[in-house]
Amino acid sequence: MSCQYLLLLMLSVGVSTVEVHRPRGVPLSRQFYEEDKPFTCLDGSRTIPFDRVNDDYCDCQDGSDEPTAACPNGSFHCTNAGFRPAFIPSSRINDGICCCDTTDEYNSGAACQNTCDLGRKEREELVKMAEIAKEGFQLKQQLIHEAKRGLEDKKAKLSEIQSSKKDLEAKVEALRTVKETAEQPEKEAKGRHMQAWEQKAIARKEKDKAKMTEVFLELDDDADGVSVAELLSHSELDPDLDSSFTEAEAQVLMGGEDKVDPASFEAVWNNIKEKYLSESNADIPAPVETAQEETPVSDNDSDQYPEDDIPEEEEEDDEEDEDDDQDESDYKVPPTERTKEKKDDDDEGTMPPYDQETQNLIDAQKARDEFDEAERALREVDDQINLEKEISFDFGPSAEFGYLYSQCYELTTSYIYRLCPFNRVSQKPKYGGSETNLTWGKWSGPQDNIYSVMKYEHGTGCWQGPNRSTTQVKLTCGKETVVTSTSEPSRCEYLMEFITPAVCQEPPNLDSGLHEHEEL
């Protein structure tokens, strides 16, 4: 039978001569025999007189009558009051190495001192750690329960999303066909409209170019290029309309040049064409002011053509000429007509609205809107399909680490360290600078506890060194979830300490453990 059942009578303790009524080397909780009565070996092999118990002679085969070295299979109990009780083999009794309470060295002559009080601090720390482990394990059970419920919800949602995605994909393809069918005549109609407008724009450009050439020849009296003096002959070009068209103002219109040739005249033409009045039609009268139109007639026009001097037939001829040449631009246009012409030119620079026939063909917008809406809904479903990636992660045997997903935790020293479990680890200088990152790798703890270490890898390069290859995140049990420290055990490799209840294991009952020590 096991040596843990030794019952021995202790006649004295250490150097004390005080008699105690319990066996030396046996816990007080054991009461297997009574004094002055025969002792039966615990294995039942024989019964001996009580005075042969603890007499340094092994009478029982199981050694239950001797706590000393008399029996090779014996065991001695050190009480170690204030610290942890312990059993030691009988071979270690009186060997000069003491239990903390010195009771095992009663006959060795060793100078032992009781050091059990020094173990109180360790015991208190163990009690504290046991309490933390207990609370952490309780939190872990809650995490497991929430993870299980959350996983079921996510799987149900994923199944619903996947089913919805198939329906949306079919809807998008159907609406794509509708849209493309509706867009074909619209595209053709818009193309015809655009082509017509482009042709009109080309014609307008050619017309403007011809007009520019005509004006150049008209201004170039001496056939050696248009000069500032020649431009000054057209007072209507005065920029500030103060009836004083100066040489300096004319030179500005000339782009700072004194004279320009046909190739350089285009820039001048762009400056003057809005105001320029052709000399070839300088003799055509302006419309006579009527009571209905309060547009003032210039004094020059009035002086040129007094009403009494215009013959009736000439007036009629002028009116006919005016009608014939209405679309031409080589006559002196009165202010009101010039304004209208300018407006027409401005309109020509902008593509006109679609005609009714084209507008009737442009009816694909509704089909486009419906297609865009369906495509947007499909993209939203694709975004939600990321649940599949989350569900596939290894969050521990019972998904207890799942609550860390999509969370980040920081520690600030001279750097800001940021841990985003299952995603990345980053390091950034506290007072500005570039950030370095490592991405999630795998669980990399020892084989018997693989979920105790996280590994992050594929980092950016160290300055004048290798790439940051690995960051190990060591997980320890605690009630909180927090990064507690970082270190660099070797160059460009980092170690991070991380507390989480998810790693807590069910702790043994402390009182039960102590009771078991006493029993052994």
Side-chain angles (χ1 to χ4, degrees), residues 441-500:
K442 60 183 179 180
W443 293 106
S444 61
Q447 195 167 17
D448 61 342
N449 192 16
I450 192 170
Y451 296 104
S452 62
V453 179
M454 290 177 165
K455 182 178 180 181
Y456 293 80
E457 50 197 1
H458 306 304
T460 49
C462 288
W463 185 73
Q464 292 187 342
N467 286 344
R468 291 171 174 83
S469 57
T470 304
T471 288
Q472 300 281 351
V473 180
K474 183 180 178 183
L475 279 60
T476 54
C477 171
K479 297 183 291 183
E480 300 177 313
T481 303
V482 62
V483 177
T484 57
S485 68
T486 59
S487 59
E488 189 173 359
S490 60
R491 191 179 184 200
C492 298
E493 292 190 8
Y494 303 91
L495 175 64
M496 183 176 284
E497 300 280 348
F498 184 57
I499 291 178
T500 168

Side-chain angles (χ1 to χ4, degrees), residues 285-303 333-337 339:
V288 179
E289 181 181 0
T290 63
Q292 289 80 12
E293 296 180 358
E294 297 182 358
T295 305
V297 180
S298 68
D299 294 338
N300 292 338
D301 291 343
S302 299
D303 292 342
V333 184
T336 53
E337 291 298 318
T339 302

Side-chain angles (χ1 to χ4, degrees), residues 124-380:
E124 290 171 358
E125 187 65 26
L126 289 173
V127 170
K128 181 180 177 181
M129 289 175 63
E131 285 300 318
I132 291 174
K134 182 180 178 180
E135 291 184 41
F137 183 74
Q138 290 173 348
L139 289 172
K140 179 180 179 178
Q141 299 309 302
Q142 294 178 20
L143 293 174
I144 291 173
H145 176 71
E146 292 170 2
K148 183 178 179 182
R149 184 176 59 191
L151 184 61
E152 291 172 354
D153 291 344
K154 287 170 185 174
K155 284 183 177 179
K157 186 175 181 181
L158 179 60
S159 177
E160 180 182 338
I161 290 172
Q162 288 172 333
S163 176
S164 173
K165 182 180 179 181
K166 290 180 181 178
D167 295 340
L168 279 171
E169 286 174 338
K171 183 177 179 181
V172 165
E173 290 308 311
L175 289 174
R176 189 193 307 277
T177 302
V178 171
K179 178 178 78 76
E180 290 174 353
T181 302
E183 284 179 336
Q184 187 58 36
E186 175 190 71
K187 183 179 179 180
E188 293 172 355
K190 285 184 175 180
R192 289 193 298 270
H193 183 83
M194 176 65 74
Q195 186 178 14
W197 180 78
E198 287 173 350
Q199 289 173 349
K200 185 177 180 182
I202 291 171
R204 185 179 68 251
K205 187 175 180 181
E206 291 298 325
K207 180 181 177 182
D208 184 71
K209 188 175 180 181
K211 181 65 177 176
M212 179 184 71
T213 302
E214 180 184 335
V215 170
F216 180 84
L217 296 174
E218 187 175 273
L219 287 171
D220 187 11
D221 294 333
D222 50 9
D224 63 348
V226 176
S227 65
V228 170
E230 289 168 335
L231 201 64
L232 283 171
S233 65
H234 284 262
S235 59
E236 75 275 8
L237 300 179
D238 182 10
D240 50 16
L241 301 176
D242 59 356
S243 301
S244 176
F245 188 22
T246 66
E247 186 173 327
E249 290 173 331
Q251 196 158 29
V252 170
L253 295 176
M254 294 278 287
E257 301 292 334
D258 293 327
K259 185 175 290 188
V260 293
D261 57 17
S264 305
F265 185 67
E266 184 175 359
V268 180
W269 172 241
N270 289 331
N271 290 334
I272 68 174
K273 64 182 177 181
E274 299 297 331
K275 293 183 176 181
Y276 184 82
L277 300 179
S278 176
E279 296 174 357
S280 60
N281 292 306
D283 294 335
I284 297 177
V288 179
E289 181 181 0
T290 63
Q292 289 80 12
E293 296 180 358
E294 297 182 358
T295 305
V297 180
S298 68
D299 294 338
N300 292 338
D301 291 343
S302 299
D303 292 342
Q304 277 185 323
Y305 301 106
E307 285 184 6
D308 297 338
D309 296 343
I310 301 175
E312 185 176 345
E313 290 183 23
E314 187 178 344
E315 238 178 38
E316 291 174 0
D317 292 339
D318 287 345
E319 286 175 3
E320 288 176 7
D321 292 340
E322 218 172 55
D323 292 337
D324 294 339
D325 300 332
Q326 194 65 251
D327 294 331
E328 297 189 11
S329 57
D330 57 348
Y331 64 95
K332 190 173 181 179
V333 184
T336 53
E337 291 298 318
R338 170 59 65 182
T339 302
K340 180 178 183 301
E341 184 180 274
K342 181 178 183 303
K343 182 177 183 302
D344 291 341
D345 288 343
D346 290 343
D347 289 343
E348 286 180 351
T350 305
M351 187 172 71
Y354 300 119
D355 56 38
Q356 191 58 47
E357 180 183 358
T358 303
Q359 194 66 46
N360 291 339
L361 291 171
I362 302 177
D363 61 354
Q365 190 58 45
K366 181 180 178 183
R368 271 193 295 272
D369 291 342
E370 290 176 351
F371 171 78
D372 290 344
E373 181 63 31
E375 200 171 41
R376 183 164 49 251
L378 182 58
R379 284 197 301 270
E380 290 174 358

